[in-house]
Amino acid sequence: MITLKSRREIDEMKRAGEILVATHKEIKKLIKPGITSWDIEVFTEEFLRKQGATPEQKGFEGYEFATCASINDEICHGFPRKKMLNEGDIITVDMVVNFHGALADSAWTYGVGQVSPEAERLMEVTRKSMYLGIEQAQVGNRIGDIGHAIQTYVEAEKLAVVREFIGHGVGPTLHEKPEVPHFGAAGKGPRLKEGMVITIEPMVNTGGWKAKMDDNGWTARTADGSLSAQYEHTIAITADGPEILTYQGEND
């Protein structure tokens, strides 16, 4: 079932989003060679608790951490670890914030020091593809319009959209209907209605789109070892157009 949120519920989710954005802005300051994703994990959990919020994904279906930290060829659900980040790495930090029962979900890819032109372009294309998808999140459009806009742009840039992992509805629980693929045909899928809240979170690879799973049962990485990036916002569908509940500001 697809739940429709009231204006009050959306505003509560937006407050959770503001805390999530503040966390990402602090994480950005931390990213440098020599830091570990475990350092980011510890910081995030402490920062959220100081704001009166909790990390929703910790304990979700057995997941043990407040963040997902996916490095280089890892697509998503990378475990935080104590291995140092190196100059030129890229790392995606994904988290879900619960603030008094309201949820917000956002992922961001960061370059560690000076990254390669290939990695820089991957991040730019992935981020832009997310916003092209968001532009399609209009009342009366269909879910397929979002994925079609993302896939068309990414493939024109000679990159690949991951198929195995997709966006979703969010609130009151972490993963709600509808499913939001980042590929597909325009004009297909459920129609978007005022009050829906979804995530748009394209994962894009420099090589092929296929993924493989690590032995931990959570971490997905590119099947061919190519780089992967992800950007994600939580979006409310409103009569005035898509409202980004995790917007980071002018430099978002």
Side-chain angles (χ1 to χ4, degrees):
M1 182 178 70
I2 298 174
T3 62
L4 302 180
K5 279 71 173 177
S6 66
R7 184 66 250 181
R8 176 185 61 81
E9 290 171 316
I10 291 172
D11 286 342
E12 290 171 349
M13 296 179 79
K14 189 172 184 178
R15 175 60 185 135
E18 290 169 352
I19 295 171
L20 195 159
V21 166
T23 311
H24 267 301
K25 288 184 174 180
E26 291 301 316
I27 288 171
K28 184 178 181 180
K29 298 174 186 177
L30 297 175
I31 301 291
K32 61 182 179 180
I35 195 174
T36 71
S37 54
W38 186 252
D39 295 329
I40 296 169
E41 166 75 8
V42 171
F43 167 81
T44 297
E45 187 154 16
E46 291 179 352
F47 185 84
L48 292 181
R49 296 196 187 283
K50 287 178 182 177
Q51 311 305 313
T54 56
E56 180 69 10
Q57 63 204 47
K58 189 171 185 177
F60 177 75
E61 296 183 351
Y63 190 76
E64 298 180 2
F65 308 103
T67 62
C68 296
S70 305
I71 301 168
N72 294 333
D73 67 327
E74 295 172 344
I75 296 170
C76 59
H77 307 152
F79 286 3
R81 70 212 80 164
K82 295 181 179 179
K83 181 180 178 180
M84 289 191 302
L85 296 175
N86 296 314
E87 182 90 13
D89 285 342
I90 62 173
I91 178 171
T92 299
V93 181
D94 186 6
M95 74 187 81
V96 184
V97 169
N98 182 324
F99 184 67
H100 298 170
L103 304 184
D105 187 358
S106 181
W108 218 251
T109 300
Y110 301 95
V112 181
Q114 185 70 38
V115 302
S116 68
E118 177 188 45
E120 187 69 42
R121 180 170 173 271
L122 171 66
M123 292 189 291
E124 290 176 0
V125 170
T126 308
R127 181 172 170 271
K128 182 175 178 180
S129 77
M130 175 185 65
Y131 285 111
L132 291 173
I134 290 171
E135 288 176 6
Q136 295 300 315
Q138 307 280 349
V139 172
N141 279 2
R142 292 188 180 273
I143 289 291
D145 297 325
I146 296 171
H148 180 73
I150 292 170
Q151 182 182 13
T152 300
Y153 169 67
V154 169
E155 292 183 353
E157 294 294 324
K158 307 301 182 186
L159 299 175
V161 178
V162 171
R163 308 291 202 271
E164 293 95 333
F165 301 93
I166 59 179
H168 51 87
V170 60
T173 60
L174 179 52
H175 284 169
E176 299 270 329
K177 296 294 185 180
E179 295 183 341
V180 185
H182 305 109
F183 58 93
K188 301 293 185 180
R191 196 173 295 279
L192 297 170
K193 297 180 180 180
E194 185 176 2
M196 292 171 64
V197 179
I198 61 174
T199 69
I200 297 176
E201 47 182 299
M203 288 148 269
V204 176
N205 304 338
T206 56
W209 59 263
K210 292 184 178 180
K212 61 182 180 182
M213 295 297 297
D214 280 1
D215 291 341
N216 63 28
W218 281 97
T219 305
R221 64 179 70 238
T222 58
D224 57 11
S226 61
L227 293 176
S228 187
Q230 179 190 13
Y231 291 84
E232 174 187 16
H233 274 315
T234 297
I235 311 296
I237 310 301
T238 80
D240 297 323
E243 181 177 353
I244 303 175
L245 305 184
T246 48
Y247 184 56
Q248 294 191 22
E250 290 184 10
N251 294 321
D252 191 344

